[in-house]
Amino acid sequence: MKRRLPLILILAILAVLVIALFVPRPLLKPNSDYEVLIIRYNPTYDAQPTDIPTFDSDAIVACLRNYKAENAFTTTPPSSSYTDILLEITVRQKVDQGDDWKTFWLGKTNYVYFGKFMYRIPDGDALQNELLQILDLPSAD
């Protein structure tokens, strides 16, 4: 029995690591209130995004809650150029809720940056289309 204990402990640690690294996680923490700080729209992918001045923050947050992200195993996006980004959305937890900031890059590639790592949004095209409908914006050229 004493020989099995280290093996069981190692397998348990490996299981926790696999879950932490490979299981998709929600884009926004459950049971936390978020607000949208800024939305930039770049329909022509020309590196000149336009700030969207008015939007329904609650509808956008509700939309983001329906999606998950997968670990991309990187700390930098494949491209941080606006020539790859249609929508850039920055959200944060409301002041009394914590200090959780997230930036979403949706377009040719779909990523969210939170913590120190990038996470890929597997259903990023569906999220992008849903957000464009909420914002009443046309899709990219």
Side-chain angles (χ1 to χ4, degrees), residues 101-114:
W101 291 67
K102 293 178 172 49
T103 300
F104 299 87
W105 289 292
L106 303 168
K108 295 178 183 173
T109 57
N110 301 297
Y111 285 86
V112 58
Y113 176 80
F114 56 91

Side-chain angles (χ1 to χ4, degrees), residues 10-131:
I10 289 171
L11 290 175
I13 290 170
L14 286 174
V16 169
L17 283 174
V18 166
I19 290 170
L21 293 175
F22 295 104
V23 172
R25 60 180 64 195
L27 292 179
L28 302 177
K29 290 179 183 175
N31 304 321
S32 291
D33 290 329
Y34 285 85
E35 60 187 338
V36 178
L37 298 179
I38 191 165
I39 298 176
R40 291 192 174 107
Y41 178 58
N42 186 23
T44 57
Y45 293 101
D46 63 359
Q48 295 296 321
T50 303
D51 288 354
I52 304 297
T54 58
F55 47 82
D56 184 350
S57 183
D58 292 335
I60 292 167
V61 168
C63 176
L64 292 172
R65 287 194 188 280
N66 295 325
Y67 292 87
K68 295 186 180 235
E70 300 173 338
N71 197 330
F73 299 102
T74 184
T75 56
T76 57
S79 171
S80 58
S81 166
Y82 278 107
T83 58
D84 292 333
I85 298 170
L86 174 68
L87 283 173
E88 177 184 21
I89 300 173
T90 301
V91 301
R92 74 168 180 189
Q93 280 180 303
K94 293 193 175 171
V95 176
D96 61 338
Q97 298 279 318
D99 192 28
D100 184 30
W101 291 67
K102 293 178 172 49
T103 300
F104 299 87
W105 289 292
L106 303 168
K108 295 178 183 173
T109 57
N110 301 297
Y111 285 86
V112 58
Y113 176 80
F114 56 91
K116 294 184 179 185
F117 294 96
M118 296 297 302
Y119 291 83
R120 188 178 72 79
I121 304 170
D123 296 330
D125 291 337
L127 173 60
Q128 177 181 304
N129 290 332
E130 195 172 336
L131 288 169

